[in-house]
Amino acid sequence: MDAMRTLTVNLGARSYPIHLGEGLLPRAGDLIRQAGCGEKVGIVTNPSVAALYLGAVEGSLRRSGFHVVTIVVPEGEEHKNLGSLAMIYDRLIAERFDRGSWVVALGGGVIGDVAGFAAATFLRGIPYIQVPTTLLAQVDSSVGGKTGINHLEGKNLIGAFYQPRLVIIDVDALCTLPKRELVAGLAEVIKYGVIADPRLFGLLEEKLDRVLALDRKLLLEIVAASCAIKAGVVEQDEREDDYRSVLNFGHSVGHALEALTGYAELLHGEAVAIGMVQAATISARQGLCDEKSLRRICAVIEKSGLPTEIPVNVDLKELVRGMEVDKKSVGGKIKFVLCRGIGVTEFRWFSLEEIAAQLAA
Ligand SMILES: NC(=O)c1ccc[n+]([C@@H]2O[C@H](COP(=O)([O-])OP(=O)(O)OC[C@H]3O[C@@H](n4cnc5c(N)ncnc54)[C@H](O)[C@@H]3O)[C@@H](O)[C@H]2O)c1
Ligand SMILES: [Zn+2]
């Protein structure tokens, strides 16, 4: 049997394990049984992920004696909406799910967010398990309990903090991920290196080629390091009152870029990569980040195949306005996460004029 390692997100009564390894999807039944799951389980997934992994997960759950219901919602960010949520509720009600029944989110961040929110709200909350299959979901969205859906007016406008009972991360799933999605997920891993872990950052610098070639041991190492950092931040500030926003390094510019380009041109990680270059550059100008660290950050982003420049068709004034409407602005000032070299961060508040001047420089 493949080795498995386990991290814990320590949140008192809401603590939960993150199991990481290779070959874990076919063992999901056992792992979920050990977590104390009731007899009825609803697996929420989408058609692409279902074609690849539903058979293994469903088979494993059935072999472990669970009554399994599969709920396949349409694919894509545009379906992280009320329609998919309603579809999940309808099935859970039709199948007579009760408070002892559990939900399993099998897929990327879209599935994790919508299935998590369904679990958070159905019967005022039933337990759920994250089984993330994209790199972004494995290192970011499956840990920390942010769940929700989009509204036509904006992303993630409706949601809840609701922690899963268990996270099962099988790095084997990353082998079928389109390269562009893998690389986009890598942006978040680079982010963890910059904000908290010089060792992880060094590993990426040194062994990026092997990561991109899907070396399982390395993937496991970078995913585990990322989850450990995310867990540590969430343990300190579960509901993002303050410190959790350290995870937004590169995201002020990134979110605004995504919105401005209609969520079509850039994947989230790509927008964040550009945002990280901006944040690191501003950090250097503020005298916080030394030139060598700045060069290293830009180099690893570029070497990953991620974009580093704000697209030429983006108007800087609109970009700054986009940052103002983001959830993180207060009284016209924007909280920016800057870096002191690699591994340490600092918050600074900037007015819109100051940001505009920085981006134009
Ligand atoms: N809750 C949080 O804390 C949090 C954090 C970051 C992002 N998010 C959310 O996550 C979403 C983005 O997640 P994502 O980047 O995982 O995108 P995604 O869920 O849309 O997945 C990307 C694509 O990859 C496919 N896919 C998934 N796993 C696959 C696999 N193993 N092999 C082949 N194809 C696979 C999916 O079907 C989809 O087409 C956004 O909605 C974002 O708001 C949430
Ligand atoms: Zn992100």
Side-chain angles (χ1 to χ4, degrees):
M1 194 177 277
D2 291 319
M4 179 178 90
R5 56 173 116 164
T6 301
L7 304 170
T8 306
V9 185
N10 293 300
L11 290 167
R14 281 168 282 101
S15 299
Y16 53 96
I18 306 172
H19 296 318
L20 303 109
E22 299 169 56
L24 295 192
L25 293 184
R27 290 172 55 193
D30 266 356
L31 299 172
I32 291 173
R33 175 66 76 199
Q34 285 162 23
C37 178
E39 286 319 300
K40 238 182 223 176
V41 181
I43 305 177
V44 179
T45 189
N46 75 16
S48 301
V49 179
L52 293 162
Y53 302 112
L54 182 57
V57 175
E58 189 182 0
S60 171
L61 282 161
R62 286 197 200 284
R63 280 194 302 281
S64 294
F66 290 107
H67 173 88
V68 185
V69 172
T70 60
I71 308 169
V72 181
V73 300
E75 173 142 4
E77 181 75 38
E78 66 274 28
H79 292 288
K80 197 174 112 176
N81 64 9
L82 279 175
S84 298
L85 193 63
M87 193 176 153
I88 299 170
Y89 293 145
D90 287 352
R91 279 298 298 289
L92 298 181
I93 290 167
E95 299 286 346
R96 305 195 185 290
F97 269 50
D98 59 30
R99 299 193 72 176
S101 315
W102 291 34
V103 165
V104 171
L106 174 67
V110 165
I111 289 295
D113 280 11
V114 69
F117 188 58
T121 45
F122 184 70
L123 303 179
R124 300 197 180 85
I126 63 171
Y128 77 112
I129 297 167
Q130 291 279 14
V131 186
T133 59
T134 65
L135 183 56
L136 178 119
Q138 295 191 347
V139 300
D140 190 356
S141 60
S142 64
V143 174
K146 280 191 184 177
T147 70
I149 56 169
N150 301 326
H151 185 274
L152 282 177
E153 289 296 320
K155 270 191 56 137
N156 300 324
L157 289 183
I158 300 148
F161 284 98
Y162 190 62
Q163 300 294 342
R165 291 293 176 93
L166 171 66
V167 182
I168 300 174
I169 298 180
D170 185 344
V171 291
D172 285 346
L174 301 178
C175 299
T176 52
L177 199 60
K179 177 90 183 279
R180 189 175 169 200
E181 295 285 350
L182 181 85
V183 169
L186 216 45
E188 302 285 356
V189 181
I190 295 170
K191 176 192 80 178
Y192 289 121
V194 175
I195 64 170
D197 192 344
R199 200 195 69 86
L200 172 61
F201 190 88
L203 194 68
L204 290 172
E205 278 181 317
E206 205 186 315
K207 300 185 175 162
L208 195 58
D209 295 343
R210 278 170 56 198
V211 171
L212 292 171
L214 301 171
D215 178 320
R216 305 286 206 288
K217 299 278 174 291
L218 264 181
L219 284 172
L220 200 52
E221 202 171 336
I222 65 167
V223 172
S226 300
C227 287
I229 294 166
K230 174 118 192 212
V233 171
V234 169
E235 284 166 4
Q236 288 183 57
D237 177 16
E238 187 181 1
R239 299 176 68 91
E240 197 168 335
D241 293 322
D242 182 28
Y243 178 62
R244 184 164 172 169
S245 54
V246 70
L247 299 171
N248 283 324
F249 180 72
H251 282 60
S252 304
V253 171
H255 283 149
L257 270 177
E258 280 183 281
L260 217 61
T261 51
Y263 299 98
E265 219 171 286
L266 296 164
L267 293 177
H268 173 72
E270 294 168 346
V272 168
I274 297 168
M276 287 194 291
V277 170
Q278 288 293 332
T281 306
I282 295 172
S283 306
R285 279 207 211 100
Q286 295 284 316
L288 289 177
C289 179
D290 59 285
E291 287 296 326
K292 183 167 174 234
S293 300
L294 171 63
R295 274 197 303 277
R296 287 175 68 195
I297 293 167
C298 296
V300 91
I301 291 172
E302 201 168 343
K303 204 171 147 207
S304 304
L306 287 160
T308 54
E309 309 255 343
I310 296 173
V312 285
N313 59 342
V314 166
D315 183 82
L316 288 184
K317 280 203 196 78
E318 280 184 47
L319 186 66
V320 175
R321 234 173 282 134
M323 281 187 241
E324 194 190 7
V325 299
D326 196 40
K327 290 187 284 271
K328 276 100 201 169
S329 93
V330 177
K333 288 215 166 194
I334 294 165
K335 184 179 181 183
F336 237 81
V337 187
L338 298 179
C339 58
R340 282 188 169 278
I342 291 160
V344 184
T345 53
E346 184 166 322
F347 292 129
R348 291 261 167 110
W349 290 88
F350 290 124
S351 68
L352 295 182
E353 294 73 29
E354 284 166 333
I355 301 261
Q358 291 284 348
L359 293 181

